[in-house]
């Protein structure tokens, strides 16, 4: 499978744009595990030389989203459950502290932003718009990091989240999964608004455990996509 077309912003360097575009496609599974990425074909697709393509692929390799075989090919990596568990540990550790902090520091402006994200998720789910749903989900958690003054830690966690995000993408279409995410987000916001840090942390633990609790079933359904170690 090859990348879809990207209209490059000529005011920015090309390699980061190619990296971002390919990463989005990998996380959305548009570029599925095992998909081959030809440097020559990608250069033609993007209308670039092979140098920015190489640089973008190397950045993807640093996140373990692709495997580069020199002088041969590059393939999208299988989803590594061990790496997903590490990303989950990092995210849970950060967000438990964040929700505790936010529940002790009322911020009506933040509450409105978080509710808007939930409302957008609900509308996206009703319309079957999975990517829009995921984007609103990400915005919900990113806004909490931002409000806690640790946005750079959000960016750090994202660099390790590729395998976990792909697992979640496989899990999202399962019956009831999206509804549980919506319910968790609303309960989490309600606990923060109520200034109940213990309840907020309890909801967050439940919320973040959902996908990993279903790893065995996900592996069974998608054996060619998931590397269970």
């Amino acid at each position: 499978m090859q990348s879809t077309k990207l209209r490059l912003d000529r005011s920015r360097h090309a390699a980061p744009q190619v990296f971002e575009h390919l990463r989005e496609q990998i996380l959305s599974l548009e570029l599925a595990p095992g998909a081959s990425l030809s440097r020559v074909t990608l250069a033609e697709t993007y209308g670039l030389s092979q140098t920015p393509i190489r640089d973008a692929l190397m950045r993807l390799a640093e996140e373990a989203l692709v495997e580069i075989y020199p002088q041969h090919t590059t393939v999208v990596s299988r989803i590594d459950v061990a790496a997903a568990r590490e990303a989950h540990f990092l995210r849970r550790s950060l967000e438990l502290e964040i929700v505790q902090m936010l529940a002790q520091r009322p911020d009506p402006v933040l509450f409105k932003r978080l509710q808007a994200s939930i409302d957008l998720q609900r509308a996206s789910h009703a319309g079957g718009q999975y990517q829009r749903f995921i984007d609103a989900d990400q915005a919900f958690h990113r806004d909490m990091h931002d409000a806690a003054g640790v946005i750079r830690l959000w960016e750090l966690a994202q660099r390790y989240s590729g395998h976990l995000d792909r697992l979640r993408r496989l899990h999202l279409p399962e019956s009831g999964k999206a509804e549980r995410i919506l319910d968790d987000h609303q309960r989490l916001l309600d606990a923060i608004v109520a200034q109940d840090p213990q309840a907020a942390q309890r909801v967050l633990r439940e919320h973040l455990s959902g996908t990993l609790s279903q790893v065995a079933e996900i592996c069974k359904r998608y054996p060619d996509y998931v590397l269970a170690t």
Side-chain angles (χ1 to χ4, degrees):
M1 184 184 300
Q2 296 298 335
S3 169
T4 56
K5 188 68 175 177
L6 168 68
R7 180 174 294 178
L8 291 169
D9 179 352
R10 298 299 175 182
S11 68
R12 297 178 58 204
H13 290 298
Q17 295 181 73
V18 174
F19 162 75
E20 291 162 5
H21 190 236
L22 289 174
R23 190 177 191 277
E24 288 174 3
Q25 292 182 89
I26 291 170
L27 297 190
S28 71
L29 302 178
E30 183 178 346
L31 287 171
S36 178
L37 299 174
S38 162
R39 191 183 298 178
V40 172
T41 303
L42 288 172
E44 293 174 352
T45 298
Y46 290 112
L48 298 168
S49 71
Q50 290 192 37
T51 298
I53 302 299
R54 180 201 62 204
D55 292 346
L57 293 177
M58 289 179 65
R59 284 190 63 186
L60 290 169
E62 290 173 1
E63 294 191 11
L65 293 177
V66 302
E67 298 175 357
I68 298 175
Y69 299 94
Q71 310 304 320
H72 182 50
T73 190
T74 298
V75 298
V76 177
S77 65
R78 292 173 70 186
I79 300 169
D80 187 331
V81 172
R85 291 190 188 280
E86 290 183 358
H88 173 264
F89 182 89
L90 174 61
R91 179 172 177 181
R92 183 183 61 188
S93 299
L94 288 171
E95 294 199 18
L96 282 172
E97 294 299 319
I98 287 170
V99 298
Q100 181 183 41
M101 180 187 302
L102 297 181
Q104 295 172 329
R105 193 172 66 191
D107 183 347
V109 174
L110 172 65
F111 300 160
K112 289 181 180 179
R113 288 170 62 189
L114 295 179
Q115 188 63 60
S117 291
I118 295 171
D119 294 343
L120 179 56
Q121 277 187 279
R122 186 170 288 111
S124 301
H125 174 53
Q129 298 171 301
Y130 285 128
Q131 190 56 53
R132 194 176 181 214
F133 181 95
I134 290 170
D135 290 344
D137 183 351
Q138 292 284 81
F140 180 89
H141 289 273
R142 186 183 188 280
D143 283 346
M144 289 197 299
H145 283 71
D146 193 14
V150 292
I151 193 62
R152 284 184 292 184
L153 294 182
W154 165 263
E155 295 163 358
L156 172 67
Q158 289 304 291
R159 292 202 291 272
Y160 293 95
S161 71
H163 293 281
L164 180 60
D165 288 344
R166 289 192 290 168
L167 270 183
R168 295 180 71 244
R169 183 67 185 228
L170 290 176
H171 191 206
L172 180 59
E174 298 297 323
S175 177
K177 172 62 176 176
E179 289 84 356
R180 286 192 295 274
I181 292 173
L182 283 166
D183 182 60
D184 287 350
H185 281 180
Q186 191 64 63
R187 289 191 299 125
L188 179 57
L189 176 56
D190 290 346
I192 292 172
V193 172
Q195 299 182 52
D196 188 340
Q198 290 185 333
Q201 289 185 320
R202 183 172 62 252
V203 173
L204 181 72
R205 286 183 185 276
E206 295 172 3
H207 174 55
L208 295 183
S209 68
T211 292
L212 287 181
S213 69
Q214 299 298 314
V215 162
E217 182 61 27
I218 295 171
C219 291
K220 182 178 178 181
R221 287 176 176 265
Y222 304 96
D224 295 334
Y225 283 10
V226 182
L227 177 64
T229 56

